[in-house]
C-alpha cells in the first residue's frame, strides 16, 4: 500500500501556482482516478472516502479538502468523463452531413463510453440522482458541459436559445436512459436508439 502523503496545507498562501499547484493537481487527479477504479469494482457502495485516500496514496484530509462528500467526488469524476468526451471529439469530430446526424453520433459515442463501465456509470448516475442542494453546482456543470458538447455538434458559431434548449433536453433524456440501463430495464442498444429518436424529433421537428 502506498504511504499516504500529508494533507495539503490550507489554501491561504500563494494562490495555486508553480510547484504547489502542480502537486495539488496531481493529488486531485489521483483521487479522481482512485474513485473511478473503486467504482468500477464495487459501484456506488464501493466508493468510501477512506478507501479512496488509501488507493490514491493521499491523506484522508486531502480527499475531504477537495471533495466534501462521496456524492461530490462521484459528480466531479463524472464531469471529468464528460470533459474527456469533449477532448476526444476535438480529436475525432462527430461525423454526419446534418446537425442531427452529428448529434446522434455524439450521443451514441457518449453512451458507448458509459456502458463500457457499468458499475462506475451506475455509481455516477446514482450520485446525480441523489445530489443535495449543496452539490447543485456540480450537477449543473455536468449538464452544462454535455449541453455544450451537443450544441457544438449542431454547427459552428454561437448556439441559439433553441439550440441550447434542445441540447439541454437531450442531455436529460440521456441521463434518464442511463438510469433505465443501470436499472436493467433497457439494454445499451435501446439507450442509443431512444437518444436517436429524441434527437431527430427535437432537431428536425
Amino acid at each position: 500500500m502506498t504511504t499516504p502523503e500529508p494533507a495539503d496545507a490550507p489554501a491561504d498562501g500563494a494562490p495555486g501556482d508553480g510547484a504547489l499547484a502542480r502537486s495539488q493537481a496531481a493529488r486531485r487527479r489521483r483521487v479522481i482516478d482512485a474513485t473511478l477504479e473503486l467504482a468500477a469494482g464495487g459501484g456506488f457502495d464501493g466508493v468510501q472516502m477512506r478507501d479512496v485516500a488509501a488507493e490514491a496514496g493521499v491523506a484522508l484530509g486531502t480527499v475531504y479538502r477537495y471533495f466534501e462528500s462521496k456524492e461530490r467526488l462521484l459528480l466531479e469524476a463524472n464531469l471529468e468523463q464528460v470533459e474527456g468526451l469533449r477532448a476526444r471529439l476535438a480529436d475525432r469530430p462527430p461525423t454526419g452531413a446534418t446537425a442531427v446526424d452529428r448529434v446522434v453520433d455524439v450521443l451514441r459515442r457518449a453512451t458507448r463510453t458509459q456502458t463500457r463501465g457499468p458499475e462506475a456509470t451506475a455509481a455516477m448516475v446514482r450520485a446525480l440522482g441523489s445530489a443535495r442542494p449543496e452539490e447543485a453546482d456540480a450537477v449543473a456543470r455536468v449538464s452544462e458541459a454535455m449541453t455544450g458538447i451537443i450544441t457544438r455538434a449542431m454547427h459552428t458559431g454561437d448556439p441559439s436559445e433553441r439550440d441550447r434548449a434542445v441540447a439541454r433536453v437531450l442531455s436529460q433524456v440521456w441521463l434518464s436512459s442511463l438510469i433505465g440501463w443501470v436499472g436493467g430495464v433497457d439494454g445499451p442498444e435501446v439507450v442509443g436508439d431512444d437518444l436517436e429518436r429524441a434527437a431527430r424529433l427535437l432537431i428536425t421537428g
Side-chain angles (χ1 to χ4, degrees):
M1 181 182 296
T2 306
T3 303
E5 299 175 1
D8 291 339
D12 55 4
D17 56 0
L20 177 60
R22 289 192 296 273
S23 174
Q24 290 176 341
R27 289 178 181 177
R28 188 182 186 280
R29 176 74 265 161
R30 295 208 304 273
V31 170
I32 292 286
D33 289 344
T35 300
L36 290 170
E37 184 72 23
L38 290 168
F44 185 84
D45 293 332
V47 179
Q48 303 298 327
M49 300 295 263
R50 190 171 297 279
D51 294 338
V52 170
E55 182 75 17
V58 301
L60 182 60
T62 296
V63 179
Y64 277 108
R65 180 176 187 271
Y66 296 128
F67 312 101
E68 70 272 16
S69 68
K70 176 167 77 171
E71 288 77 12
R72 166 75 67 171
L73 186 47
L74 285 163
L75 288 169
E76 295 289 347
N78 192 13
L79 178 61
E80 294 231 353
Q81 284 206 333
V82 174
E83 292 293 349
L85 173 64
R86 192 207 307 264
R88 291 192 298 276
L89 288 167
D91 291 335
R92 283 181 52 225
T95 60
T98 66
V100 67
D101 289 336
R102 292 189 295 274
V103 169
V104 167
D105 182 51
V106 165
L107 293 172
R108 286 193 179 274
R109 284 163 68 174
T111 300
R112 284 196 297 271
T113 298
Q114 295 293 338
T115 54
R116 286 192 195 107
E119 292 290 342
T121 296
M124 290 183 283
V125 167
R126 183 169 168 183
L128 282 165
S130 62
R132 300 165 298 180
E134 55 267 34
E135 291 145 3
D137 65 300
V139 176
R141 289 190 349 259
V142 171
S143 177
E144 188 67 19
M146 197 65 197
T147 296
I149 287 172
I150 294 170
T151 56
R152 275 190 292 276
M154 291 179 182
H155 56 74
T156 57
D158 294 334
S160 67
E161 285 302 312
R162 186 181 189 281
D163 292 338
R164 289 185 56 79
V166 166
R168 180 175 170 81
V169 171
L170 284 174
S171 69
Q172 296 300 318
V173 172
W174 185 54
L175 174 59
S176 177
S177 296
L178 286 176
I179 290 171
W181 171 71
V182 164
V185 177
D186 296 317
E189 69 287 346
V190 175
V191 174
D193 291 346
D194 283 348
L195 286 167
E196 178 165 352
R197 279 190 289 269
R200 294 195 183 282
L201 286 168
L202 288 166
I203 296 173
T204 65

